[in-house]
């Protein structure tokens, strides 16, 4: 979901929004998931995660 948030510039993706994108990407969901995975892993450095950052969270 992180990669999807980054590509579509969302702070949060709920089930309804996820289903909307899933229908749009069908029947190529497997391929899309590989691209989202790569984006989430930093393959495109210019893309950022739009989710709010939790203060005090330790990695």
């Amino acid at each position: 979901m992180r990669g999807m948030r980054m590509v579509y510039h969302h702070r949060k993706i709920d089930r309804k929004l996820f289903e909307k994108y899933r229908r749009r990407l069908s029947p190529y969901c497997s391929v899309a998931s590989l691209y989202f995975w790569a984006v989430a892993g930093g393959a495109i450095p210019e893309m950022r995660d739009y989710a709010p950052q939790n203060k005090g969270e330790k990695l």
Side-chain angles (χ1 to χ4, degrees):
M1 293 260 262
R2 181 174 187 237
M4 189 179 281
R5 277 196 323 258
M6 292 170 75
V7 169
Y8 293 115
H9 303 176
H10 290 296
R11 293 174 60 87
K12 180 181 174 191
I13 295 182
D14 60 5
R15 183 172 270 306
K16 184 178 176 183
L17 189 56
F18 180 83
E19 287 299 320
K20 172 187 164 187
Y21 288 125
R22 185 190 61 78
R23 284 190 304 273
R24 184 182 290 174
L25 296 168
S26 181
Y28 306 104
C29 294
S30 297
V31 175
S33 70
L34 295 174
Y35 282 102
F36 290 140
W37 186 272
V39 167
I44 304 174
E46 296 82 23
M47 297 194 94
R48 68 180 198 90
D49 192 354
Y50 290 86
Q53 299 295 320
N54 295 337
K55 291 184 179 180
E57 182 179 315
K58 297 189 181 179
L59 299 175

